[in-house]
Amino acid sequence: MSEKEKMLRGEYYDPEDPTLKHLRGNAEKLIGEYNSPEAGNEAHILEMLIGYRAEGISIRKPFYCDYGSNIKVGRNFYANYNCVFLDAGPINIGDDVFLGPGVSLITVNHPLDPEERRAGKEYAKAINIGNNVWLGANVTVNPGVTIGDNTVIGSGSVVVKDIPANMVAVGNPCRPVKSVET
């Protein structure tokens, strides 16, 4: 099994694998073009980065990701300035999702065992964000988290566990505090 297949399956993988380094290098080149003040056709660059064209997608510069190809966004997606998507694992985002500035979606993690960390191992877990979700400024979503439909995550929150649909959730660690009136 290739290191890329291990990565996408959530198993330990070697991030220094030549294929993975090459894929990250390609993404870095496209991100450099996208973030450039002289960039001409940002929509085309995003399409090359994530592999398809989503209707109504808007990502403010600067934007950063590891691979791009592991990001799937729905219609009417908006990400404000300085968002970071570490997409070693899949990032699945529904329709009508809004991200405030500085949001970080982090699918990659390191082992707790110091020997395995020193060996350079990593693993990744998918992040899933439902429809009609709003993540406030500087929210961090950790590996393996699912955020349900119609949920609002307050600014500065660190989401370490799943948040159900139709909730307002805040804090570090992020916790539901009330229902969203729908």
Side-chain angles (χ1 to χ4, degrees), residues 9-10 13 17 28 44 46 50 65 79 86 88-92 98 101 103 113-114 119 121 123 134 139 147 172 181:
R9 290 173 54 125
Y13 68 93
D17 172 71
E28 188 174 327
H44 178 68
L46 277 179
I50 65 174
C65 67
L86 298 187
I91 296 175
N92 302 302
F98 300 96
V103 167
D113 180 86
K121 294 181 180 178
Y123 66 95
W134 174 25
V139 166
I147 298 173
N172 181 3
E181 302 297 323

Side-chain angles (χ1 to χ4, degrees), residues 60 63 77-81 83-85 93 97-105 129 133-137 141:
R60 302 294 301 258
F63 167 72
F77 172 74
Y78 177 80
N80 212 321
Y81 299 104
C83 287
V84 175
F85 293 10
I93 300 172
V97 172
F98 300 96
L99 307 183
V103 167
S104 296
L105 305 178
I129 299 174
V133 171
W134 174 25
L135 305 182
V141 180

